Amino acid sequence: MDNDTRIRLQQSGKKWACQVPKWMMIALFLAVAGLVAAVVVYPSEFLVVLTVLYLASIPISWISFRHDEKIHDGIDVETAQVVE
């Protein structure tokens, strides 16, 4: 592992360019608490809703994959370069 990688791994989230506002953290905390409460109170219903959402996401992700595949069809893999 080189020095740049070590430095990046040691940085805390406070030094990142994008900081989350306090009101968003409160909303996120309340949403997570609500989800945990839903799992405890309505476990089977919650599982059904999660399963339906997952099954609904499969065709959406397949359409997105096919769209990206059409966009990238003309790229030669041998000469493509990674852009960082």
Side-chain angles (χ1 to χ4, degrees):
M1 189 179 318
D2 62 340
N3 285 338
D4 290 336
T5 306
R6 279 194 200 120
I7 290 171
R8 274 186 267 141
L9 290 175
Q10 292 173 356
Q11 291 178 345
S12 70
K14 293 179 182 178
K15 295 182 181 180
W16 295 347
C18 177
Q19 292 184 350
V20 179
K22 190 177 284 190
W23 67 270
M24 283 181 116
M25 286 303 297
I26 293 170
L28 180 65
F29 177 72
L30 290 175
V32 169
L35 288 174
V36 169
V39 169
V40 171
V41 176
Y42 306 108
S44 58
E45 292 87 349
F46 190 80
L47 183 61
V48 168
V49 169
L50 233 74
T51 303
V52 168
L53 289 174
Y54 171 72
L55 291 175
S57 73
I58 292 173
I60 295 169
S61 63
W62 183 77
I63 291 169
S64 174
F65 172 76
R66 297 296 287 170
H67 179 263
D68 290 346
E69 191 177 45
K70 286 179 185 176
I71 290 174
H72 300 294
D73 266 349
I75 297 176
D76 183 12
V77 179
E78 298 279 332
T79 60
Q81 295 179 357
V82 176
V83 179
E84 292 184 22

